[in-house]
Amino acid sequence: MSKLLVKPKTQSGLMQEITPESAGWTYVGFALNRLKPGETTGGEAGAKEFCLVLVSGKAKISVDGEDFGELGERMTPFEGQPYAVYVPKGSKWHAEATTDLDLAICSAPGGEGFKAKVIRPGTHPQTTRGKGTNTRYVTNIMPEDDGSAQSLLVVEVITPGGHTSSYPPHKHDQDNLPAESYLEETYYHRLNPPQGFAMQRVYTDDRSLDETMAVEDGDVTLVPKGYHPVAAVHGYDSYYLNVMAGPKRVWKFHNAKEHEWLFTGV
C-alpha cells in the first residue's frame, strides 16, 4: 500500500485525520467528519488556523461564541460552490449538523491579527481552467491574494470524466521565491457516481519518488514533493479539495520541463 494514499478509516464520524506528524511533514493538516443531523463536532485551534469547508450538507457553526447560524446549501460536492468558515489561531469552534454533513477541517500554522469569518459561495468566482480534455472548474476558497490567513491555501476542483487536472505536471517543493514556493499539499477525492475511481501520479524529476495511485471516493493523497497530475476516467467526474501550506503563503509552481510545450492555453 502506498504511503501517499490514505483510505477512510470509517464510514461515519472522523473518516480522515491527517496531521503533520502522520504525514511526515511540517505544515498541512486535514480531517473529514461525516455527521448525521444533530451530531456535533468542534475543537480548539491552538497554534493553528482552520478552514472548515462544508463539502456537502448544512450545519450551525460558531467560533468563540459568535453564532454564524445555519450554513450550507449543496447536498453533494458536485453542486455549486461551498460555504466555509475561517477559524483563527487561539479560537474555539463548534459545528452541529442540521442535515447529513461532510465537514472538512483544513489546518496549518496560524498567525496573529486574523478574524473568524464566513466564506460564502461567490466570494471567489468559479473559473474554468484549461481547454479540451484538460478543462476543469476551479473554486478558490482561500487564495493567496485574499489576505485572510497566515498559512492556509484552500481550493476545490471539479474535473469532468475523461479529463485531466493538476496537469500539465507542475510542482511546488522548493523554497526559492520568486521562482518557486514550497507548499505541502493534500487532495481529498470524491467521485460522481461514487463507485468510480481516478488516477493520480506523484513523482520527482529524479524518480526517487514515483507513485501512481487509483483513488476512490473519500481517499486522501499526500503530496510532500514532486509533480502530482490527476486523471478522471470516462464516466466518473472527479472532485478534490486541496489544502496547501508552507513557509510563505504563496503559490508559485514550476512546470515539468519536458511537458512545457503543453502549457500554452492550458
Side-chain angles (χ1 to χ4, degrees):
M1 178 67 71
S2 168
K3 293 182 179 180
L4 302 183
L5 180 62
V6 184
K7 293 287 184 179
K9 58 184 180 180
T10 181
Q11 295 303 306
S12 62
L14 186 59
M15 298 179 65
Q16 289 279 7
E17 187 176 24
I18 311 298
T19 66
E21 292 76 19
S22 70
W25 57 32
T26 303
Y27 298 96
V28 169
F30 177 82
L32 193 287
N33 269 285
R34 177 165 291 172
L35 304 178
K36 294 293 186 182
E39 293 182 334
T40 64
T41 187
E44 298 185 9
K48 298 180 180 180
E49 60 186 9
F50 292 164
C51 180
L52 311 177
V53 181
L54 286 83
V55 176
S56 62
K58 300 180 182 182
K60 296 177 181 177
I61 297 179
S62 62
V63 179
D64 286 340
E66 181 180 0
D67 184 3
F68 291 123
E70 185 182 50
L71 304 175
E73 56 187 22
R74 67 183 188 184
M75 292 296 106
T76 84
F78 296 92
E79 298 175 350
Q81 292 183 262
Y83 273 82
V85 176
Y86 174 73
V87 180
K89 174 182 176 181
S91 298
K92 296 181 180 180
W93 65 276
H94 181 267
E96 178 184 350
T98 56
T99 68
D100 288 345
L101 174 70
D102 281 359
L103 181 68
I105 301 105
C106 316
S107 61
E112 305 295 338
F114 300 101
K115 295 182 178 180
K117 69 173 185 177
V118 176
I119 305 168
R120 299 181 182 278
T123 300
H124 305 288
Q126 186 180 78
T127 60
T128 300
R129 190 175 296 170
K131 63 182 180 180
T133 56
N134 202 46
T135 301
R136 64 271 198 207
Y137 305 98
V138 180
T139 299
N140 276 306
I141 300 170
M142 294 187 67
E144 63 180 295
D145 59 359
D146 68 353
S148 65
Q150 177 71 25
S151 302
L152 276 171
L153 297 165
V154 183
V155 61
E156 63 175 30
V157 179
I158 302 285
T159 307
H163 288 217
T164 50
S165 190
S166 294
Y167 182 85
H170 70 269
K171 70 180 185 76
H172 38 74
D173 58 14
Q174 300 293 318
D175 188 8
N176 183 32
L177 288 171
E180 184 177 352
S181 57
Y182 173 85
L183 295 170
E184 301 159 355
E185 186 169 19
T186 56
Y187 278 67
Y188 170 62
H189 290 276
R190 298 291 297 272
L191 281 302
N192 184 34
Q195 71 269 26
F197 66 94
M199 308 299 294
Q200 183 160 26
R201 184 184 183 194
V202 180
Y203 68 100
T204 55
D205 285 312
D206 64 4
R207 304 302 194 267
S208 59
L209 175 63
D210 191 357
E211 294 192 21
T212 301
M213 297 158 280
V215 295
E216 298 179 305
D217 194 65
D219 288 352
V220 171
T221 52
L222 310 179
V223 183
K225 60 182 178 179
Y227 309 97
H228 39 275
V230 174
V233 301
H234 173 73
Y236 295 97
D237 294 341
S238 157
Y239 162 97
Y240 54 78
L241 177 66
N242 287 139
V243 185
M244 294 182 283
K248 300 178 181 67
R249 192 171 183 253
V250 177
W251 183 54
K252 183 68 174 179
F253 58 85
H254 169 78
N255 301 328
K257 184 177 180 181
E258 65 271 31
H259 304 299
E260 189 81 43
W261 66 275
L262 291 167
F263 276 86
T264 303
V266 298

